Amino acid sequence: MPLAPPTPLDVPPEQALLAVDMQGYSKIPEAKMAPVRSDLDDVLTNVLAHIGLQDPRDLRGAFKDTGDGAIFVMPAKDIARLVDPLLEHLHAALVRYDRERLASAPAIRLRAAVHVGPLSLPDHRGDAINEVCRLLDSQVVRTGLTVAREHRSGFLAAVVSEAAFRRTVRAGRTPDLDEEHFLRATARVDGKAFEEPCWLFVPQMTPRALAPLIEPDPPGGEGGTAAPTASAGSSSTPAVFQFNGEMTDTTVINKVGTMRIDRRRI
Amino acid sequence: MYQSHLAVIGENLWSQLRGLAPIRVRPARSVLLRQGDPGTHVVLLASGSTLVTLTGPNGERALLAVRGPGELLGELAVLDAQPRSASVIAAESCRVHLIPAPEFLSFVESNGLLNPLLRHAIARVRESEAVRLELATACVPVRLAGALSRLVDAASTNRSAVSVRLTQEELSQMIGASRNAVGTAIKPWREEGWLETDPGGGLLIHDITSIEAHARSTM
């Protein structure tokens, strides 16, 4: 039988994705932006070279400058190294940078997101690129960075997608990191219909120390399949309803404080 | 007498070396090399000037040297595969070539450059020993005068005044002193007219010899 010709329904090859974002970059005076941006690029270049990954900036369509950060698209096989040793090395490099920068230069604190998924190159067609941006934007990693800064004078908080986590840490491909180093959490973005399980990593902080400082998951909050979490008696926190199917009966008694609309098909 | 790398290895090899990596622009005040980083590449400085600083275990700092065009930076960490021993910060906009460690090492190997590079490195170590001693023992005026003298030497202009484009806060960080201590040290020099503070935050040095002599006399 002849092979089927390529169609738009074919799944593009998987790519490993790393996205980073500098905290407070837009608040830096314009005159100081260029050196800080150059310093961030230099730190990333050095870390990639040190762990033996090809710098995607040398390849067409594999690098996207987002102004206050960047997205790197790497071969799928590199996903394990993007988690370990990259995250620890990146943090160590940021610590050294902070010691050596001029006092007049602002500190560089980063959120990072690691993900893997199908993506066509160089046009970036595929959900994976949006997903990594949502992960990077999620409240859990934002809070993670605040916690890192306040509790460990840290410079990095990273979120690893469930898919990336399964293929790397869970599969035993990360020599120095295992499941105990990550906090299982749910990534949500304010005002966006996005809710995905994820794994939070803050260098030098155990999940046990992190957990009470990160907004806890709603009970059973496993990727949007949670039951309504209205708890009787606690009038201070409004009930959160999640409707996971088609709503056929549109009458709701009383008032709904927060509504999360999850458009994924179940 | 100190010789640049360009002078040591010659124009021909220098331009071959430059050809190993594309040219990049690094803005003033960006950190070109971080002390403690692994030696992943060598910086070839094509234009601009740079501050080489040493940070001690307790955060104390010294301006080891100022390096200009024709210098290789960070080559020692590549040659001995040890972490970088100092940091390098762009004092002005710099044009650089970042040569990856493996390419640099094979270039050194195939052109027999190891000996000249090591001799050059030893000269630099001797130069920096004096600065290390100064960092450990000298008072703020002497450390500051030393740092200003290295900045003036590197500027190598024939003009009567040399402009140092570092704020007093940055200078105090460079020599591991408080900003107040730097202000106090500068005051008598300004009153004598040996330097001027410029409104942009920098200094204009007129007479570095008198500044150094005065600083030593206060010890």
Side-chain angles (χ1 to χ4, degrees):
Chain A
M1 244 180 59
L3 293 172
T7 82
L9 296 178
D10 290 347
V11 180
E14 297 230 328
Q15 308 288 344
L17 292 149
L18 167 70
V20 295
D21 188 278
M22 245 187 294
Q23 187 188 44
Y25 183 70
S26 57
K27 294 190 192 113
I28 299 174
E30 207 176 313
K32 287 183 178 169
M33 280 183 169
V36 175
R37 177 70 217 205
S38 171
D39 285 347
L40 170 65
D41 286 340
D42 199 61
V43 165
L44 292 167
T45 301
N46 278 267
V47 170
L48 289 174
H50 184 215
I51 64 179
L53 292 178
Q54 190 185 5
D55 195 328
R57 277 169 283 208
D58 302 338
L59 301 170
R60 196 169 76 93
F63 173 75
K64 202 169 166 183
D65 182 337
T66 57
D68 48 6
I71 304 169
F72 296 85
V73 183
M74 328 272 284
K77 70 175 174 58
D78 292 338
I79 186 67
R81 276 192 278 181
L82 290 185
V83 176
D84 180 11
L86 181 127
L87 295 177
E88 296 269 23
H89 280 17
L90 181 56
H91 186 249
L94 291 172
V95 169
R96 288 192 294 269
Y97 172 74
D98 202 66
R99 203 176 62 150
E100 303 303 326
R101 71 182 162 90
L102 287 174
S104 55
I108 295 181
R109 287 192 161 80
L110 289 184
R111 301 194 312 275
V114 180
H115 185 39
V116 62
L119 195 67
S120 68
L121 287 182
D123 55 356
H124 297 149
R125 226 170 285 152
D127 293 335
I129 202 105
N130 299 329
E131 286 160 2
V132 80
C133 292
R134 295 275 190 273
L135 284 167
L136 187 64
D137 217 17
S138 67
Q139 199 52 51
V140 68
V141 71
R142 288 177 182 276
T143 310
L145 187 55
T146 306
V147 168
R149 178 186 191 161
E150 286 171 2
H151 293 261
R152 288 289 185 279
S153 307
F155 297 91
L156 176 71
V159 64
V160 178
S161 74
E162 177 72 24
F165 190 83
R166 278 175 193 281
R167 272 165 233 192
T168 58
V169 182
R170 182 88 34 89
R173 294 195 171 100
T174 50
D176 291 331
L177 294 180
D178 53 40
E179 203 161 327
E180 290 164 23
H181 293 95
F182 294 82
L183 177 71
R184 195 179 193 301
T186 303
R188 299 188 187 91
V189 180
D190 286 347
K192 298 255 166 63
F194 178 81
E195 184 164 314
E196 288 285 336
C198 67
W199 296 82
L200 181 68
F201 176 68
V202 175
Q204 297 164 3
M205 275 193 98
T206 60
R208 188 196 286 243
L210 267 176
L213 303 166
I214 303 289
E215 212 180 349
D217 274 3
E222 299 275 315
T225 55
T229 53
S231 52
S234 68
S235 53
S236 57
T237 49
V240 177
F241 291 90
Q242 292 183 4
F243 301 98
N244 296 315
E246 292 268 316
M247 272 181 71
T248 47
D249 185 351
T250 51
T251 309
V252 177
I253 300 169
N254 222 321
K255 200 175 83 181
V256 177
T258 306
M259 250 181 95
R260 293 202 182 88
I261 301 169
D262 187 347
R263 291 204 173 79
R264 286 170 304 164
R265 300 206 178 117
I266 300 166
Chain B
M1 186 57 203
Y2 186 83
Q3 279 195 304
S4 71
H5 278 109
L6 170 55
V8 171
I9 72 171
E11 287 278 359
N12 181 27
L13 283 178
W14 183 258
S15 70
Q16 285 182 42
L17 200 51
R18 215 171 39 196
L20 293 179
I23 198 155
R24 306 252 182 253
V25 177
R26 289 285 182 265
R29 292 175 159 69
S30 56
V31 184
L32 300 179
L33 295 172
R34 290 162 299 275
Q35 184 177 329
D37 263 18
T40 48
H41 64 279
V42 171
V43 176
L44 183 153
L45 190 58
S47 76
S49 70
T50 60
L51 311 168
V52 183
T53 72
L54 180 74
T55 307
N58 302 314
E60 69 275 25
R61 202 162 183 174
L63 177 66
L64 278 186
V66 181
R67 297 280 180 240
E71 288 288 337
L72 293 174
L73 303 162
E75 87 286 7
L76 273 191
V78 169
L79 290 174
D80 72 357
Q82 294 291 313
R84 302 205 183 279
S85 56
S87 288
V88 178
I89 297 171
E92 57 189 314
S93 178
C94 290
R95 288 189 300 152
V96 298
H97 299 260
L98 307 177
I99 304 163
E103 276 89 331
F104 181 76
L105 287 171
S106 59
F107 187 85
V108 167
E109 170 91 6
S110 54
N111 293 286
L113 284 179
L114 189 58
N115 259 328
L117 285 177
L118 288 182
R119 273 202 304 275
H120 184 270
I122 290 164
R124 263 193 331 204
V125 168
R126 286 192 191 287
E127 187 195 18
S128 73
E129 286 306 321
V131 182
R132 280 169 210 261
L133 186 67
E134 188 181 285
L135 169 70
T137 59
C139 61
V140 171
V142 171
R143 269 147 54 200
L144 181 60
L148 292 177
S149 151
R150 286 184 276 284
L151 288 162
V152 168
D153 282 351
S156 68
T157 63
N158 299 320
R159 273 171 291 165
S160 59
V162 176
S163 159
V164 170
R165 277 178 294 171
L166 286 172
T167 64
Q168 289 188 30
E169 186 189 12
E170 288 165 349
L171 271 175
S172 61
Q173 190 190 10
M174 284 292 150
I175 62 160
S178 74
R179 211 194 137 157
N180 279 348
V182 166
T184 307
I186 281 177
K187 194 164 171 272
W189 304 342
R190 193 176 50 213
E191 283 165 3
E192 293 286 347
W194 297 330
L195 60 72
E196 285 174 68
T197 49
D198 95 52
L203 293 174
L204 204 58
I205 315 280
H206 293 290
D207 186 354
I208 189 65
T209 315
S210 298
I211 289 173
E212 285 193 282
H214 177 264
R216 274 195 303 273
S217 73
T218 62
M219 268 190 96

